[in-house]
Amino acid sequence: MVKHFSAPYDRSMSRHDEIRQEMLRRINDGEWPVGSDIPHEMVLTEEFGAARGTVRRALSTLVEQGLIERRKRAGSRVVGQTSQTSKLHIPLIREEIESRGHAYSYRLLEREVKPGLHGIGTRNGLLWVRCLHLADGAPFQLEHRTINLDTLPQAAEQPFRVTGPNEWLVREVPATRVITRISAAAAEAEIAEILAVPEHAPLLIVSRETFMGEAHLTEARLSHPAEQYQVTTLSI
Amino acid sequence: MVKHFSAPYDRSMSRHDEIRQEMLRRINDGEWPVGSDIPHEMVLTEEFGAARGTVRRALSTLVEQGLIERRKRAGSRVVGQTSQTSKLHIPLIREEIESRGHAYSYRLLEREVKPGLHGIGTRNGLLWVRCLHLADGAPFQLEHRTINLDTLPQAAEQPFRVTGPNEWLVREVPATRVITRISAAAAEAEIAEILAVPEHAPLLIVSRETFMGEAHLTEARLSHPAEQYQVTTLSI
DNA sequence: TAGTGGTCTAGACCACGTA
DNA sequence: ACGTGGTCTAGACCACTAG
């Protein structure tokens, strides 16, 4: 006799979420231990009394979460924490500061057009901007930014005197690919002075490169005093 | 007359990927500018000559990428870089070191059972481990780890003498939720000595808390000399 | 309140990789 | 070789929300 699963009545959850929850429970309770094969799609389809697409959607989410892996012809199996990935979300710096209850302010430090480098911005050059983002008047983030004037010629007309490049980019420019690098470094003398920290103080540095398709759009190097800032990510 | 889109013949890409590529092109070329509404599902379905589910799959991927947002009854629209999220993948430290072509080695520094804290591990206590991961014999990562013995009592039997806790966790324990925090700090005297860096040298610190459902499993604080390590994320 | 996106079903065909 | 997962179709109903 086939054992049918039925979730406790709850319309706040879609069917594929209910099924995924039940699958999570089985993994959690050791009914589906790490390394073991889980039943085939058709078996699950029958057991849950749902369409194959719905079961597949639940399974796909578990794959995204890195809890199971699927191999054609060989079924699916539970995996350990190996492939755990998290979602990193870096908000607009103004939103970040305001969400902490501080007053945001902005200061443009430098702005000039430089010749292109390494095949980037070789026609129109690169717009180079250095600016400071402050929380309650205290330096919070130092931004070094270059904008590719070949792919974003409109940027040349932006003064960036009262709002930073990021505000403009968010409003105007979509991106298909972002590379983010997070590192630590000791503050050099000039940067330390701007950020009002002692020389050699630890900094958390976030570097982002943004592309639309293959076209390089912009690059930012964001330096923060280590005490004031950390990056947080949540699982999928 | 309805204009039909047909992609260049390419069987290496699934239909929903082809459709998504074409949508990306339209966003890139400004046919669908930032802030504008894009055609409704049924219109796209007809234009691409695909089933609604296929078009929806392409759109869903764009939502994941943070390029469009969808509102019921009001259609979908292109958004800027606001909600760009990236995928953060932190591999096993051994794999990280070996992928750089270095020899991995491990050293257990400390291991003891401590009483629980804040409702975590209050029955069986917490297993507390401090260990070092080395690349070509040089300190690469200092790991402070606590394992909740209420939820993972099997950990008490693990000596962690020749392999680290992470190797065991990966093999045995699945997780549904991971919180990762990345920060910078100056090396305190004791840590500086272990990592063979000068006191107050900058460190990149990765902290991870892992859960299965609501149950707290383990927590790790991973300290790296800033020169040797950075975290990289790619867009979805 | 009407129309949009969100979900689900039942079916089909196909490519791929493991046994 | 063949059974698995991957993809796609055509249809239906529903919930939410903007107008």
Side-chain angles (χ1 to χ4, degrees):
Chain A
M1 171 168 166
V2 180
K3 192 175 156 192
H4 281 266
F5 161 76
S6 66
Y9 187 80
D10 182 3
R11 280 312 181 83
S12 68
M13 219 185 266
S14 44
R15 190 80 182 96
H16 69 262
D17 270 328
E18 283 178 6
I19 292 173
R20 183 168 55 87
Q21 289 299 329
E22 167 64 10
M23 290 173 171
L24 281 171
R25 190 197 61 72
R26 293 181 187 186
I27 294 170
N28 188 19
D29 292 359
E31 294 176 26
W32 291 353
V34 173
S36 71
D37 283 4
I38 70 177
H40 296 159
E41 279 182 359
M42 293 316 292
V43 178
L44 294 169
T45 296
E46 199 181 332
E47 189 202 351
F48 285 107
R52 185 176 166 222
T54 308
V55 171
R56 279 186 56 75
R57 184 156 178 185
L59 289 169
S60 299
T61 306
L62 292 178
V63 170
E64 262 191 276
Q65 293 188 356
L67 274 163
I68 66 172
E69 64 182 15
R70 324 193 64 189
R71 290 121 52 237
K72 282 183 189 176
R73 172 83 192 180
S76 308
R77 69 165 55 145
V78 183
V79 296
Q81 298 189 17
T82 321
S83 50
Q84 283 289 355
T85 58
S86 315
K87 262 190 188 168
L88 172 66
H89 177 75
I90 297 185
L92 258 186
I93 183 63
R94 180 169 52 73
E95 288 170 7
E96 170 78 29
I97 288 174
E98 287 173 351
S99 75
R100 296 178 182 209
H102 297 140
Y104 169 77
S105 54
Y106 167 80
R107 203 151 73 220
L108 177 64
L109 302 177
E110 225 172 317
R111 180 191 188 284
E112 60 177 307
V113 176
K114 296 190 175 186
L117 284 171
H118 315 113
I120 296 174
T122 38
R123 279 205 318 281
N124 301 339
L126 295 171
L127 179 60
W128 196 85
V129 175
R130 194 162 69 155
C131 56
L132 189 63
H133 304 273
L134 307 98
D136 283 340
F140 188 87
Q141 178 189 90
L142 173 62
E143 173 178 356
H144 295 254
R145 183 174 293 271
T146 55
I147 301 176
N148 186 345
L149 292 177
D150 288 356
T151 47
L152 294 174
Q154 328 90 291
E157 295 151 22
Q158 298 294 322
F160 299 133
R161 293 199 73 85
V162 291
T163 59
N166 45 11
E167 309 265 342
W168 176 76
L169 289 162
V170 162
R171 235 184 10 253
E172 303 278 344
V173 184
T176 56
R177 197 158 61 92
V178 181
I179 303 176
T180 307
R181 294 187 181 85
I182 305 171
S183 58
E188 295 166 22
E190 191 194 359
I191 292 178
E193 197 187 328
I194 296 174
L195 285 175
V197 294
E199 196 174 342
H200 306 309
L203 303 178
L204 185 68
I205 297 175
V206 178
S207 300
R208 313 193 80 181
E209 266 183 292
T210 303
F211 301 83
M212 181 73 216
E214 292 309 308
H216 183 277
L217 298 175
T218 176
E219 188 172 344
R221 180 184 170 90
L222 313 170
S223 305
H224 317 75
E227 300 77 28
Q228 290 181 28
Y229 190 67
Q230 67 176 7
V231 176
T232 304
T233 78
L234 295 174
S235 48
I236 301 170
Chain B
M1 171 167 168
V2 180
K3 193 174 154 193
H4 281 264
F5 161 77
S6 67
Y9 188 79
D10 181 5
R11 279 312 181 83
S12 70
M13 220 186 265
S14 44
R15 190 80 183 98
H16 69 262
D17 270 329
E18 284 178 5
I19 293 174
R20 184 168 55 86
Q21 290 298 331
E22 167 63 10
M23 290 174 171
L24 281 172
R25 191 197 59 73
R26 294 182 186 186
I27 293 170
N28 187 18
D29 292 358
E31 293 177 27
W32 292 352
V34 173
S36 71
D37 284 3
I38 70 177
H40 297 156
E41 279 182 359
M42 293 316 292
V43 177
L44 294 168
T45 295
E46 199 181 332
E47 188 201 352
F48 286 106
R52 184 175 166 223
T54 307
V55 170
R56 280 186 57 75
R57 184 156 178 185
L59 290 168
S60 299
T61 306
L62 293 178
V63 170
E64 261 191 277
Q65 292 188 356
L67 274 163
I68 65 172
E69 64 182 15
R70 325 192 64 190
R71 292 124 45 239
K72 283 183 188 177
R73 172 81 193 181
S76 308
R77 69 163 55 144
V78 183
V79 296
Q81 298 189 18
T82 322
S83 49
Q84 283 289 355
T85 58
S86 314
K87 262 190 188 169
L88 172 67
H89 177 75
I90 297 186
L92 257 185
I93 183 64
R94 181 171 51 75
E95 289 169 7
E96 170 79 30
I97 288 173
E98 287 174 350
S99 75
R100 297 179 182 210
H102 297 139
Y104 169 78
S105 55
Y106 167 82
R107 201 152 74 218
L108 177 65
L109 301 177
E110 224 173 319
R111 180 191 187 284
E112 61 177 305
V113 176
K114 296 190 174 186
L117 285 170
H118 317 114
I120 295 173
T122 39
R123 280 203 319 280
N124 301 339
L126 297 170
L127 179 60
W128 195 86
V129 175
R130 193 163 70 156
C131 57
L132 188 63
H133 305 272
L134 308 97
D136 282 341
F140 188 87
Q141 177 189 90
L142 173 62
E143 172 178 355
H144 294 253
R145 182 174 294 271
T146 55
I147 300 176
N148 186 347
L149 292 176
D150 288 356
T151 47
L152 294 173
Q154 326 92 291
E157 295 151 22
Q158 298 294 324
F160 298 132
R161 292 199 73 86
V162 292
T163 59
N166 44 11
E167 309 265 343
W168 177 76
L169 289 162
V170 162
R171 235 184 9 255
E172 303 277 344
V173 183
T176 55
R177 197 158 61 92
V178 180
I179 303 176
T180 308
R181 294 186 181 84
I182 306 171
S183 58
E188 295 167 22
E190 191 194 359
I191 293 178
E193 198 187 328
I194 296 174
L195 286 175
V197 294
E199 198 175 340
H200 306 308
L203 303 177
L204 185 68
I205 297 175
V206 178
S207 300
R208 313 192 81 181
E209 268 183 291
T210 303
F211 301 82
M212 181 73 215
E214 291 310 307
H216 183 277
L217 299 174
T218 177
E219 188 171 344
R221 179 185 170 89
L222 313 170
S223 305
H224 318 75
E227 299 76 30
Q228 291 183 27
Y229 191 66
Q230 67 176 5
V231 176
T232 304
T233 79
L234 296 174
S235 47
I236 300 170

